[in-house]
């Protein structure tokens, strides 16, 4: 069904695109949250990514990779926002604003916080979103073996932090 919706969206069917975004919005939110802590920044990144995906959906070569493609767009938007934020010194108020995770995901996000920042998106994509290591490598522009080794090191780090 997703494949059919993607193909309809590529032909200009706005309703099909909206249905796709409704299906993936929670997944996209979780990915954005792994990069950004402020709810407003998360909403901005998601809005920019969705708009960009809508404008460029005809450029998607293989409809089966829609989720991977839109995830990559979102990650690029999150990275752009982070780069932009590094140029400004945050005020004390801004530093204390953090997004609260949905109650059902709280434990998962707490575990993610135990990991170095470069491992968090990999864990979220692998365990939270069900992407395979090859897909994660494509999304994050990494070597697949790098993804596998970061998963292994991250698992070990989490095991140590939970056990001790």
């Amino acid at each position: 069904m997703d494949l059919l919706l993607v193909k309809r969206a590529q032909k200009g069917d706005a309703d099909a695109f909206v249905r796709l975004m409704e299906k993936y919005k929670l997944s996209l939110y979780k990915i954005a949250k792994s990069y950004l802590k402020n709810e407003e920044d998360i909403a901005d990144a998601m809005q920019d990514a969705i708009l960009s995906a809508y404008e460029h959906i005809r450029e998607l070569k293989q409809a089966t990779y829609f989720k991977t493609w839109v995830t990559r767009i979102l990650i690029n938007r999150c990275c752009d926002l982070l780069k932009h934020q590094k140029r400004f010194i945050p005020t004390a108020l801004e530093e204390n604003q953090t997004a609260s995770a949905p109650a059902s995901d709280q434990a998962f996000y707490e575990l993610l916080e135990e990991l170095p920042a470069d491992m968090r998106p990999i864990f979220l994509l692998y365990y939270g979103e069900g992407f395979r290591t090859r897909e994660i490598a494509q999304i994050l522009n990494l070597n697949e073996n790098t993804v596998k080794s970061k998963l292994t090191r991250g698992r070990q780090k989490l095991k140590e932090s939970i056990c001790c």
Side-chain angles (χ1 to χ4, degrees):
M1 179 164 161
D2 284 352
L3 193 57
L4 189 63
L5 284 174
V6 173
K7 289 185 179 187
R8 285 179 39 207
Q10 285 180 308
K11 291 179 182 173
D13 185 343
D15 289 333
F17 185 82
V18 169
R19 288 176 58 195
L20 282 168
M21 289 298 101
E22 284 295 319
K23 179 174 181 171
Y24 293 120
K25 73 179 176 184
L26 182 59
S27 173
L28 294 173
Y29 172 83
K30 290 177 182 179
I31 292 165
K33 183 165 179 23
S34 74
Y35 281 87
L36 308 167
K37 302 301 178 205
N38 182 299
E39 287 293 329
E40 292 171 0
D41 292 340
I42 292 168
D44 287 346
M46 287 181 62
Q47 182 179 359
D48 290 348
I50 291 169
L51 179 61
S52 181
Y54 182 74
E55 291 172 346
H56 299 280
I57 193 158
R58 287 188 174 98
E59 297 169 22
L60 177 63
K61 291 178 178 53
Q62 293 183 349
T64 55
Y65 291 115
F66 176 79
K67 186 177 179 186
T68 303
W69 177 73
V70 76
T71 300
R72 180 72 242 166
I73 293 171
L74 177 64
I75 290 171
N76 286 340
R77 294 299 179 263
C78 290
C79 291
D80 290 347
L81 257 173
L82 288 171
K83 286 177 192 173
H84 180 71
Q85 288 173 351
K86 284 183 180 179
R87 295 180 193 153
F88 299 100
I89 300 172
T91 65
L93 176 64
E94 291 171 335
E95 288 175 351
N96 292 328
Q97 290 179 340
T98 57
S100 58
S104 61
D105 296 335
Q106 190 65 40
F108 180 68
Y109 283 108
E110 287 174 9
L111 278 175
L112 281 180
E113 290 299 319
E114 296 289 322
L115 295 172
D118 65 327
M119 288 183 186
R120 289 181 201 142
I122 293 171
F123 269 70
L124 179 67
L125 291 170
Y126 188 80
Y127 290 108
E129 300 304 321
F131 282 104
R132 295 184 306 252
T133 56
R134 180 178 44 82
E135 294 170 321
I136 295 168
Q138 290 173 341
I139 290 169
L140 299 177
N141 292 328
L142 296 171
N143 183 297
E144 185 176 0
N145 289 329
T146 302
V147 171
K148 290 177 182 178
S149 66
K150 287 185 185 240
L151 281 170
T152 301
R153 284 195 306 264
R155 285 186 204 110
Q156 184 62 36
K157 181 162 180 52
L158 290 176
K159 182 178 176 184
E160 290 169 3
S161 68
I162 291 171
C163 293
C164 302

